[in-house]
Amino acid sequence: MKNAQIVGWAHSKFGKSAAPDTETLMAEVIAPALEHAGVGAADIDGIFVGVMNNGFSKQDFQGALVGMAMEQLGRTPAVRMENACATGSAALYCALDFIESGRGKIALVVGAEKMSALPTADVGDILLGACYRNEEANVTGGFAGLFGQITQKYFEKYGECSDALAMIASKNHQNGVHNPYAHMQKPFTFEQCNEVTDRNPYVAAPLRRTDCSLVSDGAAAMIVASADVAADLRRAIAFRARTHTNDTLAMSRRDITNFDGAKRAWAASLEAASLTLDDLDLVETHDCFTIAELLEYEAMGLAEPGKGADVIRDGITHKDGRLPVNLSGGLKSKGHPIGATGVSMHVMAAMQLAGEAPEGMQAKDPRFAGVFNMGGAAVANYMSVLERVK
């Protein structure tokens, strides 16, 4: 197998962290990731960092912060990537390209974000950097408002299905109870997610608080290596396929009720992997808002356009369903520190395939896992099919 492989990882607890900055958050995961992979700092040929920033911190040049977090890495070539909410996957894919081009044998990937130090209004404005500001910057409710518009247009086109969104939220929170890295390890019933109350108000109608992911701090790290190096290490998770597609940034120039870029990414990866959805044992998908997960059901091929609600109503994506989705709790429960998210999602899938997921979260003997991470409203789309090698 020529493709680069995942050989180790580490993951911080997501949430409102006492860590003051991304440098400190990165320091929490770098050494544990190296130890988990069984390699040393001197073995790392390249460092690939994912941090969105865009105003979360006045300190930038985030790639160089890895060398501050661990002095032994201070002279290792490092670069920082940014691609909105898919920033972590962008860093990971660049590391894989680095290995597969022959420029290096082992790479460190780190994703991190410190979001909670700023007022909510400031966070919302920063996140609008992932939209087309010329047209979308003044939407009420910030990025939640954009997805509220998507939800409303979907309802107008296919019929109201707030109950299905509540089912997705409840499912992911039930799963997140078993994830010690999750921001919110608290179960919510369908009724709690479906009712509009003082504790669950509309954030951007028809989206309620329980339909929206959390503002989180956190970091995740991975070690990726060439196949020949991975053969001598403790574990190896291969990329059976991986695809990056894009769609037009402005929502006004496309049918936003159809995640076409996501659909193309899924189709290309499954074709390259010579697999179908029936071959996958689990999926980690980008549920920044519950409507996103529902639309991704349609993009991945679980349902025809307009029929995504049937997938969750029929229990297909539940823990004991035909294709469990977001056993980690997803962004909804686990949290969404922007730069860390794509790395985190791949870590969650890799630990499942390695049989190293926490008790209560581990799937039974999984062989293949899908990971879908997107930037913006399905603008940058990263789709990976992971397979355990050893």
Side-chain angles (χ1 to χ4, degrees), residues 27-50:
E28 294 179 13
V29 295
I30 294 170
L34 293 169
E35 182 178 0
H36 188 245
V39 301
D43 299 314
I44 301 299
D45 299 311
I47 299 167
F48 298 83
V49 175

Side-chain angles (χ1 to χ4, degrees), residues 6 9 35 47 81-82 90 107 113 124 130 176 179 193 259 268 272 313 331 351 361 365 372:
I6 301 166
W9 53 79
E35 182 178 0
I47 299 167
M81 311 304 297
E82 181 277 317
E113 210 77 62
N179 185 355
C193 295
F259 280 4
R313 289 170 181 158
L331 284 57
M351 66 169 57
M361 183 178 139
D365 301 322
F372 176 75

Side-chain angles (χ1 to χ4, degrees), residues 301-352:
L302 280 176
E304 295 296 319
K307 300 294 185 181
D310 293 344
V311 174
I312 188 69
R313 289 170 181 158
D314 293 343
I316 291 171
T317 54
H318 280 79
K319 187 175 183 178
D320 57 355
R322 177 162 61 88
L323 182 59
V325 172
N326 288 335
L327 289 173
S328 68
L331 284 57
K332 182 68 203 71
S333 171
K334 177 163 58 73
H336 186 20
I338 305 296
T341 290
V343 183
S344 167
M345 295 174 78
H346 283 85
V347 167
M348 292 293 133
M351 66 169 57
Q352 288 280 3

Side-chain angles (χ1 to χ4, degrees), residues 50-67:
V51 177
M52 181 182 170
N53 197 0
N54 193 36
F56 284 123
S57 169
K58 289 186 177 180
Q59 173 66 62
D60 222 329
F61 202 6
Q62 299 275 339
L65 291 180
V66 172

Side-chain angles (χ1 to χ4, degrees), residues 128-360:
L128 281 174
C131 78
Y132 186 52
R133 278 190 175 271
N134 283 347
E135 296 180 2
E136 301 161 4
N138 295 320
V139 63
T140 301
F143 220 75
L146 293 176
F147 274 84
Q149 290 183 2
I150 294 170
T151 308
Q152 187 59 46
K153 289 180 180 179
Y154 186 91
F155 285 4
E156 291 170 359
K157 188 174 183 179
Y158 296 115
E160 199 272 349
C161 58
S162 291
D163 66 310
L165 302 186
M167 290 176 188
I168 289 171
S170 178
K171 167 184 71 73
N172 290 347
H173 277 289
Q174 295 286 345
N175 289 344
V177 168
H178 304 289
N179 185 355
Y181 305 107
H183 184 154
M184 186 177 287
Q185 290 177 261
K186 182 178 180 180
F188 287 95
T189 65
F190 163 74
E191 290 76 17
Q192 287 174 308
C193 295
N194 198 42
E195 294 175 5
V196 178
T197 64
D198 290 342
R199 297 178 67 85
N200 189 33
Y202 284 121
V203 174
L207 295 179
R208 301 144 296 196
R209 180 175 290 163
T210 51
D211 291 309
C212 307
S213 60
L214 302 160
V215 173
S216 309
D217 309 323
M222 301 189 95
I223 308 298
V224 295
S226 60
D228 59 326
V229 171
D232 294 326
L233 298 176
R234 302 168 188 167
R235 67 186 64 74
I237 307 298
F239 286 78
R240 176 94 170 208
R242 60 184 176 98
T243 303
H244 171 199
T245 65
N246 258 58
D247 208 339
T248 306
L249 177 59
M251 287 170 41
S252 65
R253 303 184 193 180
R254 54 194 167 110
D255 177 4
I256 199 59
T257 65
N258 172 26
F259 280 4
D260 181 67
K263 183 178 181 179
R264 287 185 280 113
W266 267 96
S269 281
L270 289 174
E271 181 180 5
S274 298
L275 298 173
T276 70
L277 284 178
D278 290 336
D279 296 310
L280 299 183
D281 298 293
L282 60 104
V283 167
E284 286 290 319
T285 202
H286 192 103
D287 60 319
C288 49
F289 301 94
T290 52
I291 186 64
E293 181 166 327
L294 186 144
L295 283 167
E296 287 154 21
Y297 293 164
E298 298 176 11
M300 70 177 75
L302 280 176
E304 295 296 319
K307 300 294 185 181
D310 293 344
V311 174
I312 188 69
R313 289 170 181 158
D314 293 343
I316 291 171
T317 54
H318 280 79
K319 187 175 183 178
D320 57 355
R322 177 162 61 88
L323 182 59
V325 172
N326 288 335
L327 289 173
S328 68
L331 284 57
K332 182 68 203 71
S333 171
K334 177 163 58 73
H336 186 20
I338 305 296
T341 290
V343 183
S344 167
M345 295 174 78
H346 283 85
V347 167
M348 292 293 133
M351 66 169 57
Q352 288 280 3
L353 296 176
E356 297 179 23
E359 184 178 356

